PDB file of all heavy atoms in Angstrom:
ATOM      1  N   LEU A  18       7.350  21.820 -45.994  1.00 95.00           N
ATOM      2  CA  LEU A  18       6.010  22.325 -46.313  1.00 95.00           C
ATOM      3  C   LEU A  18       5.670  22.117 -47.784  1.00 95.00           C
ATOM      4  O   LEU A  18       4.534  21.756 -48.137  1.00 95.00           O
ATOM      5  CB  LEU A  18       5.890  23.804 -45.951  1.00 95.00           C
ATOM      6  CG  LEU A  18       5.820  24.176 -44.470  1.00 95.00           C
ATOM      7  CD1 LEU A  18       5.355  25.627 -44.335  1.00 95.00           C
ATOM      8  CD2 LEU A  18       4.874  23.267 -43.700  1.00 95.00           C
ATOM      9  N   ASP A 152       6.343  -1.462 -29.151  1.00 97.00           N
ATOM     10  CA  ASP A 152       7.603  -1.689 -29.872  1.00 97.00           C
ATOM     11  C   ASP A 152       8.322  -0.369 -30.123  1.00 97.00           C
ATOM     12  O   ASP A 152       9.537  -0.259 -29.928  1.00 97.00           O
ATOM     13  CB  ASP A 152       7.329  -2.387 -31.210  1.00 97.00           C
ATOM     14  CG  ASP A 152       6.981  -3.859 -31.044  1.00 97.00           C
ATOM     15  OD1 ASP A 152       7.395  -4.458 -30.026  1.00 97.00           O
ATOM     16  OD2 ASP A 152       6.283  -4.405 -31.923  1.00 97.00           O
ATOM     17  N   LEU A 197       0.629   5.200 -24.487  1.00 97.00           N
ATOM     18  CA  LEU A 197      -0.482   5.057 -25.431  1.00 97.00           C
ATOM     19  C   LEU A 197      -0.937   6.412 -25.952  1.00 97.00           C
ATOM     20  O   LEU A 197      -1.130   6.596 -27.162  1.00 97.00           O
ATOM     21  CB  LEU A 197      -1.652   4.330 -24.761  1.00 97.00           C
ATOM     22  CG  LEU A 197      -1.436   2.875 -24.340  1.00 97.00           C
ATOM     23  CD1 LEU A 197      -2.744   2.274 -23.845  1.00 97.00           C
ATOM     24  CD2 LEU A 197      -0.866   2.042 -25.482  1.00 97.00           C
ATOM     25  N   ILE A 210      -9.669  -0.899 -14.618  1.00 96.00           N
ATOM     26  CA  ILE A 210      -8.439  -1.341 -13.956  1.00 96.00           C
ATOM     27  C   ILE A 210      -8.815  -2.094 -12.690  1.00 96.00           C
ATOM     28  O   ILE A 210      -9.566  -1.588 -11.854  1.00 96.00           O
ATOM     29  CB  ILE A 210      -7.521  -0.145 -13.612  1.00 96.00           C
ATOM     30  CG1 ILE A 210      -7.073   0.572 -14.892  1.00 96.00           C
ATOM     31  CG2 ILE A 210      -6.302  -0.622 -12.824  1.00 96.00           C
ATOM     32  CD1 ILE A 210      -6.137   1.734 -14.648  1.00 96.00           C
ATOM     33  N   ASP A 406      24.980 -20.518  64.294  1.00 91.00           N
ATOM     34  CA  ASP A 406      24.568 -21.897  64.509  1.00 91.00           C
ATOM     35  C   ASP A 406      23.082 -21.984  64.841  1.00 91.00           C
ATOM     36  O   ASP A 406      22.373 -22.879  64.352  1.00 91.00           O
ATOM     37  CB  ASP A 406      25.387 -22.521  65.654  1.00 91.00           C
ATOM     38  CG  ASP A 406      26.840 -22.730  65.262  1.00 91.00           C
ATOM     39  OD1 ASP A 406      27.130 -22.697  64.038  1.00 91.00           O
ATOM     40  OD2 ASP A 406      27.680 -22.907  66.163  1.00 91.00           O
ATOM     41  N   GLY A 425       4.220 -26.277  46.197  1.00 84.00           N
ATOM     42  CA  GLY A 425       2.764 -26.229  46.211  1.00 84.00           C
ATOM     43  C   GLY A 425       2.133 -27.430  46.866  1.00 84.00           C
ATOM     44  O   GLY A 425       0.927 -27.654  46.689  1.00 84.00           O
TER      45      GLY A 425
END
Side-chain angles (χ1 to χ4, degrees):
L18 288 194
D152 286 335
L197 295 187
I210 297 182
D406 291 343

